[in-house]
Amino acid sequence: MDELLLSKVRLGVVAELLNYDWVAFSELARALDVSHGNLGAHLSKLVDAEYVEEEKSFVNRRPLTRYRLTKKGRDAFAAHVSQLASLLKAAT
Amino acid sequence: MTVERIDAAQAREHLEMVDRILAESHPRLCAGGEFFLLWGLASAYITVLFHLVDIGMFAARALWSVPIVLAACALYSLVRARSLNRTIARTSLVQREFFNVLWLTLGVTFIANVAAFRIFSGIAQAALWSVAEAIVLLYIGMHGNRRAQIAGVLVVVSLVAANFVAPDRTAYVLAAGMLVGYAGFGVSELLAAE
């Protein structure tokens, strides 16, 4: 099973990004109901693992950070969810 | 990391969370009403202008306004699209696919208009734009936007109707389709967004 995606927050981030091209940091924090600090730490790990791509820019002089899922992240998510389902099936 | 690090109860909890997130993830196809309003007005204006020049009501020099209008619309669209892309909190994959369809449809139509002018001459050029507009609207309609479905059908109806009215009215019927269907959809999107 994918170690990175065993964290509920990180799995949630990847699920949130699944149907989107880019999602802003603030939007992810709102959707997952986690603090900015907590989310930032989890996102760093996903970015380091190249599961997620980060884009930093300025809009009206305010910083905007957006994220999107990479192919590696998408494949890892699919495999992880499949393994979770298998685990659940074996246990029942 | 091994399977033992997570038990069945946690696996169920994680899967339920994923299901919930995906169920709530309904990427809305944000078409951008202002683009439709702008291009609907521009295409109707150009269609009628060409007709009025053709029947001698306006001098041919009035056609100089066409490239100016097109350039202004293109410039506005580029600047606005860039601005929207940067500020939007979520950009869905459906949205990206829509822009691909939009640019492909309008691009092919533009090439057909400019490079195949012997085949698509006169009012056929305006009709081509109606076809392109109908495709774009019906594509948005396919993703659940009822207003786009109605607008797309209106443009198609105007196209068919234009074929059967008197030749001196064809341009007006096509322009009406562009105004009511394309620009009208833009207005309805802007009103719905408020």
Side-chain angles (χ1 to χ4, degrees):
Chain A
M1 220 172 269
D2 195 308
E3 182 181 357
L4 269 174
L5 299 180
L6 284 176
S7 152
K8 203 175 172 185
V9 175
R10 289 195 290 270
L11 183 64
V13 167
V14 175
E16 284 287 348
L17 295 175
L18 203 65
N19 284 329
Y20 291 91
D21 193 12
W22 288 102
V23 180
F25 180 89
S26 55
E27 181 68 10
L28 280 175
R30 187 198 60 75
L32 294 166
D33 195 24
V34 289
S35 71
H36 284 202
N38 190 11
L39 180 62
H42 285 295
L43 276 166
S44 292
K45 289 182 180 173
L46 289 171
V47 171
D48 289 345
E50 296 178 347
Y51 281 14
V52 163
E53 191 182 337
E54 184 182 62
E55 182 202 68
K56 287 177 182 285
S57 62
F58 282 89
V59 177
N60 300 327
R61 296 180 187 174
R62 297 182 67 180
L64 174 73
T65 309
R66 303 192 303 176
Y67 297 88
R68 77 170 163 191
L69 204 57
T70 62
K71 180 168 187 318
K72 189 179 175 185
R74 193 172 293 275
D75 292 344
F77 175 80
H80 183 72
V81 167
S82 169
Q83 284 171 326
L84 283 178
S86 298
L87 173 65
L88 199 59
K89 195 176 175 184
T92 52
Chain B
M1 185 67 57
T2 59
V3 176
E4 285 73 32
R5 291 282 300 273
I6 187 168
D7 59 25
Q10 286 173 305
R12 181 190 301 279
E13 194 186 328
H14 283 201
L15 283 174
E16 283 174 357
M17 180 194 69
V18 168
D19 282 345
R20 181 179 48 75
I21 289 172
L22 295 181
E24 288 170 1
S25 156
H26 295 298
R28 182 177 170 271
L29 214 168
C30 170
E34 61 269 51
F35 299 108
F36 288 83
L37 175 59
L38 187 71
W39 285 100
L41 289 173
S43 57
Y45 167 76
I46 293 167
T47 300
V48 171
L49 181 67
F50 266 99
H51 173 68
L52 294 177
V53 169
D54 198 39
I55 62 173
M57 193 174 284
F58 281 6
R61 66 174 176 276
L63 294 177
W64 277 107
S65 64
V66 172
I68 294 168
V69 167
L70 287 177
C73 289
L75 185 66
Y76 173 83
S77 298
L78 284 173
V79 172
R80 182 74 180 133
R82 198 180 162 91
S83 150
L84 278 176
N85 188 41
R86 281 179 177 277
T87 54
I88 206 157
R90 280 179 188 253
T91 312
S92 69
L93 295 172
V94 172
Q95 189 84 39
R96 191 172 65 181
E97 191 184 307
F98 163 66
F99 283 121
N100 289 340
V101 170
L102 179 74
W103 291 119
L104 276 173
T105 308
L106 299 184
V108 170
T109 307
F110 180 77
I111 290 167
N113 257 267
V114 173
F117 58 87
R118 284 185 180 169
I119 302 167
F120 303 108
S121 58
I123 200 67
Q125 289 191 318
L128 261 184
W129 284 110
S130 285
V131 172
E133 291 179 356
I135 290 171
V136 170
L137 288 168
L138 292 173
Y139 178 83
I140 299 167
M142 272 170 54
H143 288 87
N145 189 322
R146 184 58 61 88
R147 292 188 300 273
Q149 289 172 5
I150 295 168
V153 169
L154 283 173
V155 176
V156 173
V157 167
S158 76
L159 194 62
V160 176
N163 186 61
F164 292 103
V165 296
D168 62 335
R169 295 188 189 277
T170 305
Y172 299 121
V173 176
L174 286 176
M178 292 163 179
L179 277 179
V180 177
Y182 214 66
F185 171 68
V187 172
S188 74
E189 281 291 286
L190 289 171
L191 290 174
E194 280 179 3

